Amino acid sequence: MNLDILQGQWQQLRGMIKENFGKLTDNDLLEAEGSGEKMLGVLQARYGYGPDQAQHEWANFLTKYGHKAVDAGGA
């Protein structure tokens, strides 16, 4: 998913992120602010993932749900 699309569809993704990554708080999502890199850091901190595991989990999430946020946003 393109970084601009991720930032543009952050509000639609937030709910899906919270469902998929139940340990994340609203503050975690505010900290990430639509940034994929920041999201990796949040996943590492909250779940104890290493960098590779965080990247893998985030990539899986985007593959599974990323298109739904774009569709919901009218893009």
Side-chain angles (χ1 to χ4, degrees):
M1 172 175 268
N2 180 307
L3 182 58
D4 293 332
I5 294 172
L6 175 63
Q7 290 176 337
Q9 302 304 325
W10 189 248
Q11 291 304 314
Q12 288 84 3
L13 279 172
R14 282 177 62 112
M16 292 179 235
I17 292 168
K18 285 186 78 173
E19 285 180 25
N20 196 72
F21 300 105
K23 290 183 180 180
L24 299 182
T25 66
D26 288 331
N27 286 339
D28 291 333
L29 296 178
L30 285 172
E31 183 180 324
E33 298 175 359
S35 166
E37 282 190 37
K38 289 181 182 179
M39 193 67 212
L40 293 178
V42 167
L43 288 173
Q44 289 177 51
R46 191 61 65 188
Y47 282 87
Y49 293 154
D52 290 339
Q53 178 73 27
Q55 177 66 42
H56 176 76
E57 297 295 333
W58 184 238
N60 284 346
F61 170 81
L62 291 177
T63 298
K64 187 173 182 181
Y65 296 107
H67 69 283
K68 292 181 182 179
V70 171
D71 293 344

